[in-house]
Amino acid sequence: MNRFSKSAAGFAVALISLTTASAADMNGIGSPSAPVPTDSIFDEARFEVAASLGAKSDFESGVFLIPSLFFDPLHSEGREGFDKFFHPRFFLSASISTDDEASQLMAGASWKFPLLGPTFADIGFGGALTNGDLDEGGRGPGVGSHVLFHEYIALGVNIDENWSLTATVRHSSNADLASPNSGLTYGGIGLGRSF
């Protein structure tokens, strides 16, 4: 892995370790029917293993490790309709290439909606910083800019009160604000731990 990937990996591991330790005292707090303030803003840690969904010149080889932290300072859980829209969770993620492709740091707002039974949808929008090649013809897609827009959608199922499985599609690109605009697109499977 290159220096950017190693730094992103170290940063992600440190954040997840800190979050897990900080949330250890929150065992026993169930899913409330209405927002309940807690001592911690940490809401969930998730770890995904992903692969490129790009075609031809947009394809990236290898596996991408994606640790994410979700924060809920606005107490999104239990809110509905427009109230939920104005009270998102926030995420901080890293996409770490295991094969010297583009790595990213991503952040933004997300909204988690219950579906049928234990299933849910999670949608997020924000920005990303990448070390990907700016021009086409190098390794992987030419992204045109190191600063990108980022969005994802995940469908998940709650295994119990604390653990969930997710299937996620992610995309980062510059929205044609720079040239070229080959996107970074991934699909992955994740395991989440709520606090």
Side-chain angles (χ1 to χ4, degrees), residues 35-70:
V36 176
T38 61
D39 293 337
S40 175
I41 61 170
F42 298 118
D43 188 52
E44 181 184 359
R46 192 180 296 168
F47 183 79
E48 297 170 38
V49 177
S52 175
L53 297 179
K56 298 182 181 178
S57 64
D58 289 350
F59 180 78
E60 296 177 273
S61 61
V63 172
F64 296 82
L65 307 177
I66 306 177
S68 300
L69 287 176
F70 294 85

Side-chain angles (χ1 to χ4, degrees), residues 61-114:
S61 61
V63 172
F64 296 82
L65 307 177
I66 306 177
S68 300
L69 287 176
F70 294 85
F71 308 89
D72 194 11
L74 304 177
H75 310 292
S76 176
E77 188 164 345
R79 297 183 188 268
E80 298 177 355
F82 283 111
D83 193 33
K84 190 172 196 78
F85 177 77
F86 291 112
H87 294 85
R89 298 192 307 166
F90 299 96
F91 68 89
L92 177 62
S93 304
S95 175
I96 305 160
S97 171
T98 62
D99 199 23
D100 200 30
E101 297 284 359
S103 293
Q104 301 178 77
L105 289 175
M106 305 160 289
S110 71
W111 293 264
K112 189 175 180 180
F113 302 98

Side-chain angles (χ1 to χ4, degrees), residues 16-30:
I16 289 176
S17 299
L18 174 65
T19 304
T20 303
S22 298
D25 295 332
M26 295 188 64
N27 291 338
I29 295 178

Side-chain angles (χ1 to χ4, degrees), residues 27-31 77 158-164 193-195:
N27 291 338
I29 295 178
S31 297
E77 188 164 345
N158 292 313
I159 301 170
D160 61 23
E161 288 183 358
N162 299 111
W163 294 95
S164 63
R193 169 69 161 88
S194 296
F195 303 118

